[in-house]
Amino acid sequence: MTKVSRSARLFEVIQLLRNAKGPVLAREIAEALEISIRTVYRDIASLQAMQTPIIGEPGVGYVMREGYDLPPINFDVEEAESISVGLSLIARTGDPSLWRAARRASRKLHEAAPGTRQLLTSAWGVENVTKVNLSELRKAIRDERKMNIEYCDVEQQRTERTIWPLVLIYYVDAVLLMAWCELRTDVRHFRLDRVKKANLLSDTFLGQSDALIEQWEVEQKHNVVPMREL
């Protein structure tokens, strides 16, 4: 296993605590970062000595006080998105050490550009031809703007739908869009090569993405299609 530098490991500890919804045990940090519990205790003590606002103690768990920020990474939106997808694709190399390093890098990237959480890849490759403007679609996801699409299903039936674009998933033979469909009043997956027309609307669904994505993620845990999220 490739050894992670101490500074990178301290960053990871901070990230885990900042993203946690409650106290995190030293054992949980050790398992997540693949280090010993004794190392976790040393790292927490070092961070506290550097005035990092971590409170807690062994056996109880640790919490990061709200309002602690890290310096931003200077990527523009599309640069961050391209790096996020590229890091995801490293999973296909079969190199566990490289994949762990990619996950660490991705967590740092997500801190600077939270919207990259909404770009996923499968573990087996990406090939797709679509008439949809992917840059425009990704912006619609970030801005929580509705879209009107004309969709042709596997039986060649065409329907016009108003959708709320939520997540892009890059598979080996297609790019899928997960979206809330107003026609079906439910989450649906759309192959972009079957989208014949797509237009941005002025209507938005501001503030509703996170809850829909979380619900979808829970449902996907039982999906037989292997997917990896950074």
Side-chain angles (χ1 to χ4, degrees):
M1 180 186 302
T2 302
K3 186 177 181 179
V4 180
S5 70
R6 181 171 181 270
S7 60
R9 193 177 69 241
L10 294 178
F11 182 96
E12 288 294 296
V13 172
I14 291 173
Q15 291 297 85
L16 285 171
L17 294 177
R18 291 186 76 229
N19 294 327
K21 296 181 180 179
V24 184
L25 296 173
R27 171 179 51 79
E28 295 170 328
I29 298 173
E31 290 174 356
L33 301 185
E34 299 180 315
I35 58 179
S36 70
I37 294 178
R38 180 175 296 180
T39 298
V40 172
Y41 292 149
R42 287 201 301 264
D43 287 349
I44 293 291
S46 296
L47 288 168
Q48 289 173 329
M50 292 185 285
Q51 306 302 311
T52 307
I54 298 172
I55 56 176
E57 58 187 30
V60 177
Y62 298 96
V63 176
M64 176 76 70
R65 290 176 181 167
E66 293 185 5
Y68 182 75
D69 291 320
L70 293 168
I73 300 175
N74 294 320
F75 294 125
D76 67 36
V77 172
E78 292 213 327
E79 286 174 345
E81 289 177 337
S82 66
I83 294 170
S84 178
V85 172
L87 289 169
S88 307
L89 303 184
I90 291 175
R92 300 172 192 166
T93 65
D95 185 329
S97 178
L98 194 61
W99 172 233
R100 283 191 291 270
R103 293 183 66 185
R104 294 195 301 273
S106 189
R107 282 194 286 268
K108 296 174 185 178
L109 179 64
H110 289 180
E111 182 62 33
T116 55
R117 170 175 175 257
Q118 295 162 262
L119 300 176
L120 310 180
T121 69
S122 74
W124 303 106
V126 174
E127 290 182 10
N128 184 61
V129 176
T130 175
K131 296 179 181 178
V132 178
N133 184 323
L134 292 178
S135 179
E136 186 177 81
L137 177 55
R138 284 186 274 106
K139 188 174 188 305
I141 291 174
R142 295 193 300 271
D143 296 343
E144 296 182 311
R145 284 183 62 182
K146 297 183 182 182
M147 299 184 73
N148 179 265
I149 66 170
E150 183 180 309
Y151 190 72
C152 183
D153 65 20
V154 68
E155 297 177 349
Q156 302 303 309
Q157 298 295 316
R158 294 198 179 204
T159 54
E160 186 174 328
R161 306 170 185 234
T162 297
I163 62 170
W164 306 2
L166 298 168
V167 173
L168 274 178
I169 312 169
Y170 297 84
Y171 280 104
V172 64
D173 57 351
V175 176
L176 265 62
L177 170 66
M178 186 276 281
W180 176 267
C181 176
E182 292 189 356
L183 178 66
R184 306 302 184 195
T185 62
D186 198 2
V187 165
R188 288 289 186 269
H189 295 85
F190 301 96
R191 283 181 55 132
L192 294 190
D193 55 346
R194 293 178 182 163
V195 176
K196 304 306 178 183
K197 295 180 182 179
N199 297 300
L200 280 175
L201 302 177
S202 59
D203 294 342
T204 64
F205 51 99
L206 298 176
Q208 300 188 64
S209 290
D210 287 347
L212 290 169
I213 292 171
E214 287 179 9
Q215 177 184 337
W216 173 78
E217 287 174 338
V218 170
E219 295 171 352
Q220 290 303 299
K221 288 181 179 179
H222 304 292
N223 196 321
V224 297
V225 179
M227 291 168 38
R228 293 191 179 186
E229 179 182 358
L230 287 172

